[in-house]
Amino acid sequence: MSENMAALTTQKADVDKQVAVLSHALETTKAELKTAQDKVAFLTDENKVILQEKAVIQGQFKQLQSSL
């Protein structure tokens, strides 16, 4: 009976260690995901600005073409 108890105690300690490692890995992954999401949001905003600038330049080019 006490051998069983010792084995279960050892198993629980191992599982607790694995849970701690996996929890840390999860937190790291969450932080990396947040960083990636922030970068995507930044690039999306930057892309919108570039598309607006492109539209302005295309408009100016059309005006220039029509004045030639």
Side-chain angles (χ1 to χ4, degrees):
M1 187 69 159
S2 65
E3 281 180 28
N4 249 358
M5 230 13 212
L8 287 173
T9 302
T10 302
Q11 280 181 343
K12 184 186 180 308
D14 288 344
V15 168
D16 287 345
K17 279 182 202 166
Q18 288 174 350
V19 167
V21 168
L22 290 172
S23 292
H24 179 69
L26 178 59
E27 290 308 311
T28 301
T29 304
K30 281 181 182 177
E32 290 169 350
L33 175 59
K34 176 79 170 84
T35 299
Q37 287 172 327
D38 289 348
K39 184 156 192 171
V40 167
F42 171 79
L43 291 173
T44 300
D45 289 346
E46 191 176 49
N47 191 47
K48 282 180 192 167
V49 169
I50 290 168
L51 288 174
Q52 288 169 347
E53 289 172 349
K54 178 185 170 190
V56 168
I57 291 168
Q58 284 176 327
Q60 290 171 342
F61 181 67
K62 282 181 183 171
Q63 280 183 331
L64 181 61
Q65 275 183 320
S66 65
S67 72
L68 295 177

